[in-house]
């Protein structure tokens, strides 16, 4: 039995968080999210084009009976992110917020300076902030110092599917923040990428495009569910150390040998 994932005092059996955007249809979205085994789904107010459409989307999400994690996707300023977070709290009736604050349009990299400012404001306002950040150790340390209990460093830029571009940086964050809940968010494209994140000690992964953009989102969701579970089992088992020299797996002591 694997240890549960803990996020701001709540425990979850699944270590896979999943997004609700970009699916070919609402039905496929529901089926894929259910197939993933995820217990937390991210949502964004910015996807809603009208009141009716927004209500229909929200009804679909509520029907899944999962924990909702609103995000501030698309925000470029502290004021914009804080205002949207406050709107999300009212609409979705939760004080959880995935804080996204974009600083660069080319690779959608989070703005580290504005992220720290917005995080401080939202924590003071009673939010449970899950900040989306780069794999920069110092930024992660500053966010932890502010009072965040969960951090979400990227594996690669959003939607690229490149996997873990800098495993060294991610491992360093894990080692330096041993008691922090860490979730790799963004850039994962293959189930093996998710497995790798769990193998190096990350507590969970959050993804969207890798499932929603697959040829068969439901099947891909199942693949990611299996990969996350395998990665966590591998981490808990403690892998054998790497060696430079070959070592036989079958003992040679006591084996007969021939000589002339």
């Amino acid at each position: 039995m694997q240890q549960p994932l803990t996020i701001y005092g709540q425990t979850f059996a699944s270590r896979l968080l999943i997004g609700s955007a970009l699916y070919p249809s609402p039905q496929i979205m529901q089926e894929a999210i259910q197939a993933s085994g995820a217990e937390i789904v991210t949502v964004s107010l910015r996807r809603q084009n009208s009141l009716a459409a927004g209500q229909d989307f929200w009804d679909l999400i509520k029907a899944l009976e999962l924990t909702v994690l609103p995000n501030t996707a698309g925000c470029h300023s502290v004021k914009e992110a804080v205002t949207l977070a406050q709107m999300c709290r009212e609409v979705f009736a939760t004080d959880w917020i995935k804080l996204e604050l974009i600083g660069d349009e080319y690779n959608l990299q989070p703005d580290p300076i504005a992220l720290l400012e917005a995080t401080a404001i939202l924590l003071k306002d009673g939010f449970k902030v899950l900040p989306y950040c780069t794999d920069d150790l110092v930024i992660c340390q500053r966010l932890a110092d502010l009072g965040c209990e969960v951090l979400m460093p990227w594996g690669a830029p959003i939607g690229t599917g490149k996997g873990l571009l800098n495993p060294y940086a991610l491992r360093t964050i894990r080692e330096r923040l041993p008691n922090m809940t860490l979730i790799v968010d963004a850039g994962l494209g293959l189930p093996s990428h998710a497995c790798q994140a769990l193998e190096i000690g990350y507590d969970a992964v959050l993804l969207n495009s890798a499932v929603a953009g697959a040829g068969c989102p439901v099947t891909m969701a199942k693949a990611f569910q299996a990969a996350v579970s395998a990665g966590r089992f591998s981490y808990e088992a403690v892998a054998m150390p790497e060696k430079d020299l070959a070592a036989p797996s079958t003992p040679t002591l006591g084996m007969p040998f021939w000589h002339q």
Side-chain angles (χ1 to χ4, degrees):
M1 174 95 45
Q2 294 182 357
Q3 294 296 315
L5 169 68
T6 300
I7 297 179
Y8 282 105
Q10 291 186 235
T11 58
F12 302 89
S14 175
R15 293 177 177 272
L16 173 61
L17 290 68
I18 197 164
S20 56
L22 306 175
Y23 291 89
S25 71
Q27 180 181 355
I28 291 177
M29 177 194 73
Q30 285 187 307
E31 291 177 358
I33 292 174
Q34 290 171 331
S36 74
E39 298 171 87
I40 300 173
V41 58
T42 60
V43 297
S44 174
L45 285 177
R46 289 179 174 271
R47 192 178 305 110
Q48 301 173 10
N49 296 321
S50 68
L51 183 61
Q55 186 59 53
D56 289 344
F57 171 78
W58 183 218
D59 289 341
L60 290 173
I61 295 297
K62 286 192 293 185
L64 295 169
E65 298 183 340
L66 303 177
T67 297
V68 172
L69 174 59
N71 64 47
T72 60
C75 290
H76 292 79
S77 70
V78 172
K79 182 179 180 180
E80 189 180 17
V82 169
T83 299
L84 186 58
Q86 293 168 339
M87 291 173 61
C88 286
R89 181 164 59 184
E90 296 299 319
V91 172
F92 300 113
T94 179
D95 56 4
W96 281 24
I97 193 72
K98 177 191 169 187
L99 181 59
E100 297 184 37
L101 218 165
I102 301 304
D104 181 79
E105 284 293 342
Y106 176 73
N107 65 358
L108 301 180
Q109 179 173 324
D111 182 331
I113 299 170
L115 183 66
L116 289 171
E117 184 180 346
T119 296
I121 293 171
L122 291 173
L123 287 171
K124 187 176 181 180
D125 194 24
F127 282 90
K128 295 179 173 63
V129 181
L130 293 82
Y132 166 59
C133 57
T134 59
D135 51 9
D136 183 283
L137 173 62
V138 175
I139 292 299
C140 288
Q141 289 174 323
R142 296 294 179 268
L143 289 166
D145 291 342
L146 287 174
C148 291
E149 296 182 16
V150 181
L151 300 179
M152 307 181 78
W154 69 1
I158 295 172
T160 61
K162 292 182 177 295
L164 308 187
L165 288 181
N166 195 341
Y168 169 79
L170 291 171
R171 285 193 185 96
T172 301
I173 295 168
R174 176 71 287 171
E175 292 168 2
R176 297 296 299 276
L177 298 172
N179 300 317
M180 176 72 66
T181 296
L182 296 176
I183 301 172
V184 171
D185 178 17
L188 305 183
L190 296 172
S192 57
H193 298 157
C195 185
Q196 183 185 9
L198 273 290
E199 282 182 326
I200 64 175
Y202 274 69
D203 298 286
V205 295
L206 190 156
L207 50 92
N208 189 164
S209 303
V211 170
C216 182
V218 175
T219 301
M220 186 60 79
K222 294 177 181 177
F224 270 101
Q225 179 189 37
V228 167
S229 181
R232 182 63 187 186
F233 273 127
S234 175
Y235 174 72
E236 292 180 353
V238 184
M240 62 172 283
E242 292 185 8
K243 300 176 181 178
D244 292 328
L245 298 176
S249 57
T250 303
T252 57
L253 185 64
M255 290 182 62
F257 63 92
W258 298 98
H259 65 86
Q260 293 181 348

